[in-house]
Amino acid sequence: LVHDALYQLMREGHLSQVWRQAVDEILVALCKEDGMWALRRKWVYDGVRFGGGPSARDSKPILTAP
């Protein structure tokens, strides 16, 4: 949840993209604190580093139903 909120702040321009790697490292630290195995933490980190860029950059329009 913390990681998602920080990515949302980046998307909305309230937090610079410069902080993306630090935000991803916070995610790994929280996973470690929660007891996640080291190998799985590495997979999580590699996953957000590889595929998380668009989630941190692209602001998606809010759609509403008619």
Side-chain angles (χ1 to χ4, degrees):
L1 188 63
V2 172
H3 184 259
D4 292 349
L6 291 170
Y7 262 49
Q8 182 174 353
L9 289 172
M10 284 189 278
R11 266 195 315 275
E12 294 176 356
H14 301 294
L15 183 64
S16 172
Q17 292 290 317
V18 173
W19 293 101
R20 182 170 164 241
Q21 183 173 356
V23 168
D24 293 344
E25 291 169 0
I26 289 170
L27 172 63
V28 172
L30 292 171
C31 289
K32 182 177 183 178
E33 184 178 314
D34 199 36
M36 185 181 285
W37 291 0
L39 181 58
R40 182 167 278 181
R41 289 194 310 264
K42 181 183 178 343
W43 292 340
V44 167
Y45 181 76
D46 290 347
V48 294
R49 293 305 302 156
F50 178 76
S55 294
R57 283 191 309 269
D58 300 336
S59 182
K60 296 168 181 65
I62 298 174
L63 304 175
T64 56

